[in-house]
Amino acid sequence: MLSRISNNPALSSKIAEMRLRLSPLVRITTGTVHPAFPPTVLHYWLLVESDLDDLAHFYHQRTPSVWTNQYPQIMGWRGHLTLEEKRRKWGKFIGLRGCVTPQDPKTADEMWEEARRDRLAAEDEMMKSKRHWYH
């Protein structure tokens, strides 16, 4: 097993990444750390949905209160999040890189409207250059 790891730089790098220690975040009101706070990146990836919900609640993010905005990052926790969304929000909350929530894809109507605006701008530019040519 050890020889496979040493012969595979990508695997070795991934294992090293999973071993990275995470600095615990304390609760503003008590100064305590949640028992399920992940000590390593590997533990972060092993959090289940109920853990993420408990963590969000513990750090005043699931139910907004006067303490919600006092943390360095805000989760924006709302109902009906997928496990992936919860994990990404939690990762961003504790400062992990690469946990940015992707933008919602544009609807077909929004894409058509953007194309229409681009076409009108191009036509307007063309008309300006023609007016300049004839004057």
Side-chain angles (χ1 to χ4, degrees):
M1 169 82 174
L2 219 44
S3 65
R4 281 190 208 168
I5 293 172
S6 61
N7 290 335
N8 187 336
L11 178 59
S12 182
S13 173
K14 183 52 83 173
I15 289 172
E17 180 185 327
M18 292 293 121
R19 287 183 179 154
L20 288 174
R21 304 229 20 103
L22 300 175
S23 296
L25 183 67
V26 297
R27 187 177 196 192
I28 287 176
T29 54
T30 63
T32 58
V33 176
H34 191 283
F37 192 96
T40 66
V41 172
L42 174 63
H43 289 93
Y44 160 78
W45 285 105
L46 296 175
L47 291 171
V48 296
E49 193 161 11
S50 60
D51 292 334
L52 293 164
D53 287 333
D54 287 347
L55 286 160
H57 179 71
F58 185 82
Y59 293 102
H60 306 98
Q61 300 298 306
R62 191 173 65 189
T63 307
S65 71
V66 298
W67 304 108
T68 302
N69 295 325
Q70 302 302 313
Y71 290 90
Q73 188 67 245
I74 299 165
M75 282 191 213
W77 208 263
R78 61 188 187 336
H80 302 68
L81 293 172
T82 66
L83 175 60
E84 180 182 303
E85 290 169 323
K86 289 178 181 183
R87 187 179 315 282
R88 197 171 40 244
K89 285 180 179 292
W90 172 251
K92 184 177 177 186
F93 183 71
I94 62 172
L96 290 180
R97 293 183 187 154
C99 293
V100 177
T101 304
Q103 297 296 317
D104 291 332
K106 293 180 181 176
T107 65
D109 289 340
E110 290 170 329
M111 288 188 286
W112 279 110
E113 180 58 28
E114 186 176 325
R116 185 186 73 75
R117 282 193 308 265
D118 291 346
R119 182 179 46 81
L120 289 173
E123 288 174 1
D124 187 45
E125 196 62 37
M126 184 178 65
M127 293 304 287
K128 283 180 185 175
S129 68
K130 283 185 178 181
R131 273 188 244 135
H132 183 266
W133 178 260
Y134 291 110
H135 283 86

